[in-house]
């Protein structure tokens, strides 16, 4: 069975070029109403932006790779580990 991933419905987030730290892509997110703030920088932010489109782990990995000009095979383990962590803290839903 192939799982689909997407940002959880109770997560508010923003990622704007004006908010980037030292020109590094940055996303700020929290679970609403009582979540702790989380900041994702660099490649983690790119994975988050890929998750905003939703999809399978392979689709998320391909989208993140395309945004960073990285090889999808080279980053697939790191993307999977990050997505797993985001599922555990309940900011990403796995269906």
């Amino acid at each position: 069975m192939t799982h689909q991933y997407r940002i959880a419905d109770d997560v508010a987030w923003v990622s704007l070029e004006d908010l980037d730290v030292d020109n590094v892509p940055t996303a700020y997110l929290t679970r609403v109403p009582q979540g702790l703030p989380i900041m994702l920088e660099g490649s983690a932010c790119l994975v988050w932006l890929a998750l905003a489109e939703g999809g399978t782990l392979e689709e998320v990995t391909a989208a993140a790779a395309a945004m960073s000009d990285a090889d999808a095979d080279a980053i697939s383990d790191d993307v999977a580990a990050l997505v797993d962590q985001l599922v555990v803290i309940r900011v990403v839903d796995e269906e």
Side-chain angles (χ1 to χ4, degrees):
M1 173 193 259
T2 302
H3 296 279
Q4 295 281 324
Y5 297 91
R6 64 179 183 81
I7 295 173
D9 290 337
D10 65 345
V11 172
W13 67 279
V14 63
S15 179
L16 299 171
E17 201 169 313
D18 291 345
L19 299 174
D20 290 349
V21 178
D22 296 326
N23 292 323
V24 175
T26 307
Y28 302 88
L29 55 130
T30 189
R31 289 186 63 220
V32 177
Q34 299 175 341
L36 297 173
I38 299 168
M39 182 174 71
L40 300 174
E41 293 181 294
S43 58
C45 176
L46 299 180
V47 172
W48 182 260
L49 295 174
L51 284 164
E53 300 299 318
T56 65
L57 187 56
E58 292 77 19
E59 292 167 335
V60 170
T61 301
M67 284 186 263
S68 64
D69 295 325
D71 178 64
D73 290 335
I75 66 169
S76 63
D77 289 343
D78 292 335
V79 172
L82 177 59
V83 170
D84 284 345
Q85 291 175 359
L86 296 172
V87 168
V88 167
I89 64 172
R90 299 180 11 216
V91 295
V92 169
D93 289 335
E94 176 182 31
E95 300 170 342

